[in-house]
Amino acid sequence: MGDFSAAGNGDNIPPQATPKLPIPGKRNILITSALPYVNNVPHLGNIIGSVLSADVFARYCRLRDYNAIYMCGTDEYGTATETKALEENCTPKQICDKYHAIHGEVYKWFDISFDQFGRTSTPQQTEVCQAIFKKLWENNWLSENTMQQPYCDTCEKFLADRLVEGNCPTPGCNYDSARGDQCEKCGKLLNPTELKDPRCKVCRNTPCIRDTDHLFLELPLLKDKLEAYVNDLSVAGGWSQNAIHTTHAWLREGLKPRCITRDLKWGVPVPHEKYKDKVFYVWFDAPIGYVSITSCYTTEWEKWWKNPENVELYQFMGKDNVPFHTVIFPSTLLGTGENWTLMKTISVTEYLNYEAGKFSKSKGIGVFGNDAKDTNIPVEVWRYYLLTNRPEVSDTLFSWTDLRAKLNGELLANLGNFVNRVLSFIAKDPASGYGSVIPNPEGAESQPETMALGKKVGDYVEQYIEAMEKVKLKQGLKIAMSISGEGNGYLQERQFWKLYKENRSLCSIVMSTASGLVYLLACLLEPFIPSFSREVLKQLNFPPDTKLSLTDGDIEKSKRPWHILPAGHKIGIPAPLFKELTYEEVEFYREKFAGSQADRNLKAETEAREITDQLNKAKISDANKKKERATKSSEAKSKGSASVEAEISISRLDIRVGLITRAQKHPDADSLYVEEIDVGEAQPRTVVSGLVKYIPLEEMQNRKVCVLCNLKPASMRGIKSQAMVLAASNSDHTKVELVEPPKDAAVGERVTFPGFDGKADDVLNPKKKVWETLQVDLHTDKELVACYKDLPLITSAGVCKVASISEGSIR
């Protein structure tokens, strides 16, 4: 059941120093999950549909001591990336670097145990992709043809699929924002010329249609090879029914030549003189990413990918990816004539929907990976809920109420309760427990109830193995949780708290058996909720690097759970494993994540403004009452000084070049950062900023910013903010960017405005509303320069700018 020596790491994540290679005589399993697009943050539907499901199977394989590796990475080429780069006014490479890091952080938090998490924008991808292309060309599986493609006269370029939007032509759909490659609503694959009322995504003008030459993969000529592969492996590999159905539908409809080139710049260049200005279509090169990422993992990658006799390939994805993996990718590999490791088993999920609608990356609807990370709900709860709700045969629904029910009713009341009852009782002092020592189960084989439990548990473990081998993950999890239910029933039936006083030896059998079930549950549930297993090992007082296993010998041992843990072993300190999720918390999260991300951001800003307005009204009201109590002479004097104060000038603001030396999340507020900023003084200033939703933490480190230094300090969630970082937002408040001075600007230098040379106030009087009056005229212009009215913010090194928000407001 386990090796209690330091034989591996408790997280079952393989060390990366020495890459694994196939081992003769062992089961060698190559696992991939669909490469997530790099142009956005993954939502929960993406996570359960590919990386999390594959992770569960990879962890299971390691438990079984199979020689398994798990390959994944970000899909970085193609129109989606170019489109996102246009939106954020940066290069495709910058987009890829940004979102690759975000994906990595999300998956790290979700405990995804990749052997290699790579990317497709690498030299290895170009090398492997071009080599496959050359083989297809040599073998005459490619053809040249002219196709009609939208061309935008305004942008002066051919428009790739995703740069065209319009009404879906599918009868009964008519979705008005269908992309040129696929309709997000009905899921039908499209060509951009099929769209009704097409428009350019960049300029919104109607494109014309022009001829352009492209290369095509001749799928019809490869049909016999493909059908032989599908008929063989779909049975031998136990393909999921949705994968079989989709694949045969493609074959029945008749295969057509598939274009493999695109008029883009960001992609793998086509190594052919006539097509040197084109790149490969993303769905030609993206699946090849599995191979190139493996080649980054080991230079001996061909031992995995060109070794079908000794390697089994398992692939995980959502249903929209099926034809690319069961038709296009295997046809591509078959066409090379080389001995490729073709997919044996494909595991496909349907859609996970969110509350009342669909998850959508493009529309920002649902809970995203970074959202889950920023809640106080532990990762094991997220993993458990997604996996119990895995849409294996039909669409399923994410619901906050159901999440609460699963946590409170299954994790807390069943699993957590069982483990805590057992360990807490064993940990009691010898007067009422076992002093934290596993008791001797002598005579267990003579106890019918205990033997019956052992047989039942052994049967469950065999059923678990059978389900997991067939990649029925939801069923495997359900079976494992049934053992926890059996354990609770066994404890209740035996009434161990009475046995301790009335029959100590029988109580010792019961508690030894129950503690063995605790360890067994840590083992069986490790693929699903590894953080739970790590905590159980800690409470059982095993080293963090204890390697859990489930070999054939361990399966046999599970039938005698009283022998799983050695008598005399001293356990650690028991503690509750799960915390109840309240109705109020559920309602808070439902409200927080309602609508789209844009809606939520706008709502948060509106609420913040309303609070500010209320505070300002309170201050004005208080000031008015004081004026009413003043004498006539003091009123006159006040009016005289007010006439001077009315001349509010931009020179009264003390805006300086600052350097963020450190940034971290606010300990008591999910939406706030706390920064230490050098503004040229003896000590850095502490600044609290509401930028968490807009700017990743890694982008807040060690960068120059413009800092308003003479606002009155204000306490924000218990931390006093001594300045304010200037940032720009777009018109619908969905994007926020920092106002940045030139790189060569000196830290502490004052930012000035042409024609305004006055001295700044020491501290702006909030009652005079100097900042509020001036702020309305702070904005970015069409050239992205930060301005006050029509005057730029200037340093000795040049003007201050933002990255991409033109004509935005600055605050």
Side-chain angles (χ1 to χ4, degrees), residues 595-607:
S596 69
Q597 288 178 315
D599 293 336
R600 300 198 290 262
N601 293 339
L602 182 59
K603 180 181 176 183
E605 289 203 0
T606 301
E607 289 176 350

Side-chain angles (χ1 to χ4, degrees), residues 142-176:
L142 299 177
S143 62
E144 300 178 76
N145 209 335
T146 300
M147 62 185 292
Q148 291 186 320
Q149 190 170 333
Y151 183 88
C152 180
D153 289 315
T154 306
C155 298
E156 296 184 333
K157 66 178 181 179
F158 282 103
L159 299 180
D161 300 347
R162 289 191 174 217
L163 287 177
V164 188
E165 291 181 342
N167 290 3
C168 178
T170 307
C173 179
N174 203 37
Y175 180 54
D176 64 1

Side-chain angles (χ1 to χ4, degrees), residues 132 135 139 306 333-340:
I132 289 174
K135 284 289 184 182
N139 296 339
K306 294 184 179 180
L333 298 182
L334 288 166
T336 65
E338 296 177 318
N339 193 32
W340 287 96

Side-chain angles (χ1 to χ4, degrees), residues 57 314 316 345 347 390 392 467-473:
F57 187 68
Y314 283 72
F316 291 78
T345 298
S347 180
R390 185 175 186 250
E392 292 183 350
M468 297 297 284
E469 290 291 332
K470 294 178 179 178
V471 202
K472 294 183 177 179
L473 307 183

Side-chain angles (χ1 to χ4, degrees), residues 633-802:
S633 60
S634 63
E635 280 182 74
K637 186 176 180 181
S638 174
K639 287 178 182 178
S641 61
S643 64
V644 176
E645 289 288 353
E647 297 175 6
I648 295 178
S649 164
I650 192 67
S651 63
R652 294 177 62 179
L653 300 185
D654 182 11
I655 301 174
R656 302 185 213 166
V657 175
L659 176 67
I660 301 176
T661 57
R662 184 186 179 206
Q664 59 187 343
K665 290 277 190 71
H666 193 298
D668 299 316
D670 291 342
S671 63
L672 300 179
Y673 285 131
V674 180
E675 305 113 27
E676 299 294 326
I677 304 181
D678 181 359
V679 291
E681 298 172 338
Q683 297 294 328
R685 294 202 187 193
T686 300
V687 179
V688 181
S689 306
L691 297 170
V692 170
K693 296 178 181 178
Y694 306 102
I695 303 174
L697 182 58
E698 61 268 19
E699 293 186 16
M700 292 291 292
Q701 311 292 339
N702 195 35
R703 68 184 293 178
K704 288 182 179 177
V705 288
C706 292
V707 185
L708 179 58
C709 294
N710 59 342
L711 281 178
K712 185 176 181 180
S715 181
M716 300 179 73
R717 291 290 188 93
I719 296 179
K720 183 168 285 189
S721 183
Q722 300 169 320
M724 183 174 74
V725 175
L726 296 187
S729 62
N730 58 358
S731 58
D732 60 0
H733 306 290
T734 58
K735 186 190 292 187
V736 174
E737 295 174 347
L738 294 175
V739 177
E740 296 185 276
K743 291 182 179 179
D744 295 333
V747 172
E749 175 185 355
R750 188 178 176 193
V751 176
T752 60
F753 302 82
F756 290 89
D757 302 320
K759 183 182 178 185
D761 292 10
D762 290 334
V763 178
L764 295 174
N765 187 340
K767 294 180 182 180
K768 304 300 181 182
K769 293 189 171 295
V770 177
W771 163 245
E772 290 80 1
T773 302
L774 297 167
Q775 184 272 320
V776 295
D777 289 316
L778 287 167
H779 64 96
T780 59
D781 65 13
K782 291 181 179 179
E783 281 70 47
L784 309 180
V785 175
C787 298
Y788 169 70
K789 295 184 177 178
D790 58 350
L791 302 174
L793 279 68
I794 290 180
T795 71
S796 60
V799 298
C800 303
K801 303 183 73 172
V802 294

Side-chain angles (χ1 to χ4, degrees), residues 183-196:
C183 176
E184 190 180 34
K185 182 180 179 183
C186 70
K188 185 174 178 60
L189 297 176
L190 301 170
N191 287 314
T193 53
E194 296 178 294
L195 292 174
K196 298 177 182 178

Side-chain angles (χ1 to χ4, degrees), residues 79-147:
T79 319
T81 307
E82 285 199 359
T83 304
K84 191 68 173 181
L86 283 170
E87 291 174 5
E88 299 198 11
N89 195 34
C90 60
T91 66
K93 177 68 165 60
Q94 289 170 326
I95 284 290
C96 293
D97 291 345
K98 173 183 175 179
Y99 283 100
H100 177 79
I102 291 173
H103 275 257
E105 284 300 311
V106 168
Y107 302 141
K108 180 180 179 182
W109 186 82
F110 267 94
D111 260 340
I112 308 297
S113 61
F114 305 113
D115 287 83
Q116 181 81 10
F117 183 68
R119 50 202 307 185
T120 58
S121 61
T122 63
Q124 290 89 340
Q125 173 75 357
T126 299
E127 180 182 347
V128 175
C129 194
Q130 290 183 344
I132 289 174
F133 165 78
K134 289 175 182 176
K135 284 289 184 182
L136 292 170
W137 182 267
E138 291 170 7
N139 296 339
N140 297 316
W141 296 118
L142 299 177
S143 62
E144 300 178 76
N145 209 335
T146 300
M147 62 185 292

